[in-house]
Amino acid sequence: MLSFFKGKGSRDSHKVETQDRGILVFENTSEVIRAETVLKGAGWKIRVMGPPPEIRTGCDLVIEFPLIEELNILRTLEAAGAKPLQVVPVNSPLLQPVDIFQTRDYGRYLMVRAANMKLTVDKETLTVVNISGGGCPDVPYLAREMVGRTLAEAPAPEEIGHTLCGYALQLAYEEMRRQC
């Protein structure tokens, strides 16, 4: 029955961009990752973004959502024990969340940066040629498992990484797959 109230439009990512939006602010990055997992698992189309400077609380990530769904999203998070610190409507240009992705085209190579992690792919073969950034202990392992393989062959970082760097690399991996 809950899905009836969510409606089909709430799951359309285009709607997130065109509807009034809000952002969920959490204490730390681990809570953002947990809330993202809960909300995506429940079928909500949300985006992890960088916080606007006006509400930065120390966590480098926020979750953007369609504001019209605030009550249902908060109920979903509360049921999972993942309640945010703050809900902020994006009603001013100063409150716009910041995109955490940067893309650079180096001719044959395409690099996607998500937060502190960079993933570079040969555009002709879709082979991962470099992984860099972060300071987490699993970054060398992630690079060893992914570099030299195509995007289709390489394991998803979320399957083999266990740190914030692995999470950021997963975001870069998903964005790269979207672009290629």
Side-chain angles (χ1 to χ4, degrees):
M1 180 141 166
L2 182 60
S3 63
F4 171 78
F5 291 108
K6 289 179 185 173
K8 217 172 178 182
S10 66
R11 295 174 186 222
D12 182 353
S13 64
H14 178 70
K15 296 276 184 180
V16 171
E17 295 175 8
T18 58
Q19 294 177 339
D20 287 338
R21 297 168 296 139
I23 49 179
L24 302 168
V25 181
F26 294 87
E27 174 98 24
N28 56 56
T29 305
S30 295
E31 291 182 5
V32 172
I33 294 168
R34 182 164 181 242
E36 179 193 27
T37 302
V38 167
L39 292 174
K40 285 187 173 177
W44 295 105
K45 290 294 184 190
I46 46 107
R47 291 192 305 184
V48 174
M49 306 285 288
E54 285 70 21
I55 62 163
R56 189 163 286 172
T57 60
C59 179
D60 291 337
L61 300 172
V62 294
I63 294 177
E64 181 185 56
F65 69 99
L67 194 56
I68 195 167
E69 301 293 350
E70 178 181 353
L71 185 59
N72 289 326
I73 284 177
L74 288 176
R75 285 181 182 153
T76 301
L77 290 174
E78 193 167 328
K83 195 173 176 182
L85 286 176
Q86 191 177 10
V87 179
V88 179
V90 180
N91 56 9
S92 156
L94 295 175
L95 292 176
Q96 291 291 325
V98 180
D99 195 351
I100 60 171
F101 296 109
Q102 294 177 348
T103 301
R104 289 244 167 117
D105 190 335
Y106 294 105
R108 183 173 173 179
Y109 303 102
L110 185 66
M111 182 190 76
V112 173
R113 178 182 177 158
N116 60 345
M117 292 300 299
K118 295 175 230 156
L119 173 69
T120 306
V121 168
D122 181 325
K123 292 191 303 189
E124 294 175 12
T125 63
L126 299 182
T127 300
V128 176
V129 296
N130 190 38
I131 290 174
S132 61
C136 305
D138 61 349
V139 172
Y141 173 71
L142 291 166
R144 188 187 79 193
E145 294 298 313
M146 295 180 71
V147 171
R149 294 183 178 181
T150 65
L151 287 174
E153 298 168 342
E158 70 181 356
E159 295 172 3
I160 58 173
H162 303 284
T163 63
L164 177 59
C165 298
Y167 172 76
L169 185 60
Q170 176 68 28
L171 296 176
Y173 172 80
E174 290 171 1
E175 179 64 15
M176 183 68 80
R177 288 186 66 109
R178 190 187 68 74
Q179 290 189 29
C180 290

